[in-house]
Amino acid sequence: MSHRGPGHRPLDYDPQPHRCAAGVTGLALRDGLQAVIDTEGGRYGGGSIGRMLDELKELGQAVSREDASVARALLRDCPATAGDVLQQLALQAAAGSDLATELLIERLDDSGVLRRFARGALLDEAAIEDVCQDSLISIASAIGSFQGSSKVTTWVHRIVRNRVVDHLRRQRATSPLPADDCGPAQRMSSMIATRATVRAALAGLPDLYREPVTLRDIEGLPYAEIAERLERSLGTVKSQVARGRALVAAALRDTAGGS
Amino acid sequence: MAGPERLGRYRLEDVIGVGSFATVHRAVDDALEDTVALKVLAENHSLNPEVRERFIAEGRSLRRISSPHVVTVHDIGESERQQPFLVLEHADRGTLADRVQELRHRGWTATPADVLVTAREVAAAIEAVHEAQLVHPT
């Protein structure tokens, strides 16, 4: 799946270079439609099945001849969550129709289905928004790989879950360390600093702080051992490391131009 | 600089339960001056969307149950390490098994009336769960 960065807008995608040939596409579409009717037709009464089939067919034809206004008019009357309509749009989008992709994205967005999937695994409102945006981009970029053998919502759910994982990984990568030594260390690591500038900043520290910070952050010794080596108390060493880091962070910030 | 460990506004105290997916801490809500139980999803499971979905759904389901015999969910939150956690009512009188064991050590045996009292409470809890259209997994 080609997932491009979150900087793109949902509809800002390129046509897929690997779309199926027209004949294969037609067969896949018919099989897919039949599958939809087989699985979902049961909830309609006798007369409604025929009407539903007609409407789906009309929609399919409108999309095929790139008639956006007729397709939109047909879609206006059916609920955004209607699975059969989503399935049909997905199949036509997978077959290479840009209009179907656009309509699919619109309907997925309107239906709130992405939001419902994202809310299942996320609590933060901003995170849910981000994941929905990322998911729409992924869906638009990868629709060419939708096979039609599963329900489109199942396929979409898998994509949302992948974007949830991406989001959580990104968040965790920038989240503070779990132990007692977060804060300044986190700020230091978040700055784009080369090893050389860190060393220069360390070298500029007063001896009192340079020794414990070097032993802790460069040599990775536990606090207890540093305390023993420097013949200082554990509490003293911890606070000296903390302050030393803060000074290094401040020095790095100055180097970086005071951001 | 290492103060007491905190999760949101809750100050963590002892670990009172450990499972394969989550750890339960006793914690203090300093704002409301109350002791709560914090059930925290394990760090290694917190990036798994399916496990997260189940954990969060459990909190949302439990929230729909209202019964003096079922632990209450006060809140849900997330740690800075992306671990979801449930803030639960702290049931501080231990497990039924511990209590029975302790009483037996003192020479007590359950009368039919004792068993009925307990069974009635358990049944009321299960009824409340079913009223919320849920099935207890165990």
Side-chain angles (χ1 to χ4, degrees):
Chain A
M1 180 192 309
S2 64
H3 172 231
R4 306 180 313 158
H8 295 270
R9 288 174 39 235
L11 297 178
D12 183 18
Y13 57 88
D14 297 316
Q16 292 293 303
H18 53 274
R19 296 250 159 106
C20 328
V24 179
T25 298
L27 279 175
L29 180 58
R30 203 174 58 215
D31 291 349
L33 270 177
Q34 192 56 53
V36 172
I37 293 156
D38 289 347
T39 53
E40 306 211 354
R43 63 194 160 86
Y44 291 87
S48 306
I49 294 180
R51 204 173 67 230
M52 182 192 83
L53 268 174
D54 287 346
E55 282 176 5
L56 273 178
K57 208 164 134 191
E58 272 183 61
L59 176 63
Q61 287 165 349
V63 170
S64 294
R65 52 173 201 273
E66 301 283 312
D67 190 340
S69 56
V70 169
R72 282 212 164 81
L74 284 163
L75 286 170
R76 207 170 298 133
D77 297 331
C78 69
T81 47
D84 38 20
V85 171
L86 285 177
Q87 192 78 6
Q88 162 141 3
L89 290 173
L91 286 165
Q92 288 189 284
S97 162
D98 288 345
L99 176 61
T101 308
E102 191 178 323
L103 295 172
L104 176 70
I105 292 298
E106 283 173 13
R107 283 190 79 79
L108 282 173
D109 204 16
D110 288 345
S111 67
V113 66
L114 298 179
R115 214 186 139 66
R116 187 159 55 78
F117 289 152
R119 268 192 82 248
L122 296 170
L123 299 169
D124 181 62
E125 203 47 44
I128 293 168
E129 284 299 315
D130 285 354
V131 164
C132 287
Q133 278 292 302
D134 290 352
S135 300
L136 278 182
I137 295 166
S138 289
I139 291 162
S141 316
I143 190 66
S145 69
F146 175 65
Q147 303 279 326
S149 52
S150 62
K151 281 174 76 175
V152 64
T153 41
T154 310
W155 184 77
V156 163
H157 197 172
R158 200 163 54 235
I159 287 183
V160 175
R161 278 179 168 162
N162 289 339
R163 298 293 77 82
V164 164
V165 174
D166 288 350
H167 176 85
L168 292 169
R169 288 215 177 110
R170 274 200 307 270
Q171 291 291 107
R172 185 171 283 188
T174 57
S175 74
L177 294 167
D180 59 352
D181 50 358
C182 48
Q186 166 58 24
R187 286 197 287 278
M188 274 170 69
S189 66
S190 69
M191 282 174 203
I192 303 162
T194 63
R195 193 172 281 264
T197 57
V198 173
R199 284 197 182 277
L202 258 179
L205 279 184
D207 289 356
L208 189 65
Y209 299 123
R210 197 185 62 245
E211 282 173 343
V213 172
T214 307
L215 291 174
R216 176 77 195 131
D217 290 337
I218 305 292
E219 302 203 34
L221 294 183
Y223 285 111
E225 201 175 326
I226 301 169
E228 205 172 287
R229 269 205 206 185
L230 299 177
E231 295 181 334
R232 295 172 197 170
S233 79
L234 188 63
T236 305
V237 165
K238 280 189 178 177
S239 78
Q240 286 172 347
V241 169
R243 289 176 197 172
R245 282 173 177 169
L247 292 174
V248 172
L252 289 175
R253 195 169 50 235
D254 291 342
T255 316
S259 54
Chain B
M1 65 184 279
E5 205 184 336
R6 301 192 81 96
L7 218 45
R9 72 167 200 246
Y10 305 97
R11 178 157 46 85
L12 297 187
E13 294 194 330
D14 305 351
V15 170
I16 53 177
V18 182
S20 50
F21 285 96
T23 304
V24 183
H25 294 260
R26 194 177 61 236
V28 177
D29 178 346
D30 284 320
L32 286 173
E33 297 179 347
D34 191 19
T35 300
V36 292
L38 239 62
K39 184 173 179 178
V40 188
L41 187 60
E43 191 167 335
N44 57 326
H45 289 300
S46 293
L47 295 193
N48 179 330
E50 286 160 58
V51 176
R52 286 178 71 93
E53 281 169 19
R54 253 184 295 153
F55 185 86
I56 293 170
E58 179 192 314
R60 288 173 179 156
S61 301
L62 206 48
R63 179 71 173 196
R64 284 167 28 212
I65 302 170
S66 169
S67 163
H69 305 293
V70 178
V71 81
T72 304
V73 179
H74 296 311
D75 202 359
I76 191 166
E78 192 167 9
S79 79
E80 289 176 323
R81 300 283 295 163
Q82 285 68 51
Q83 294 164 273
F85 61 86
L86 298 176
V87 184
L88 303 162
E89 175 187 1
H90 182 232
D92 61 351
R93 293 174 63 196
T95 65
L96 180 62
D98 288 345
R99 182 149 174 78
V100 167
Q101 199 178 19
E102 185 206 321
L103 287 169
R104 277 202 179 133
H105 274 305
R106 292 201 241 147
W108 171 86
T109 44
T111 64
D114 292 329
V115 175
L116 269 180
V117 166
T118 308
R120 197 169 284 134
E121 290 180 354
V122 172
I126 292 173
E127 187 185 14
V129 171
H130 284 194
E131 270 173 12
Q133 310 265 302
L134 298 168
V135 177
H136 196 279
T138 53

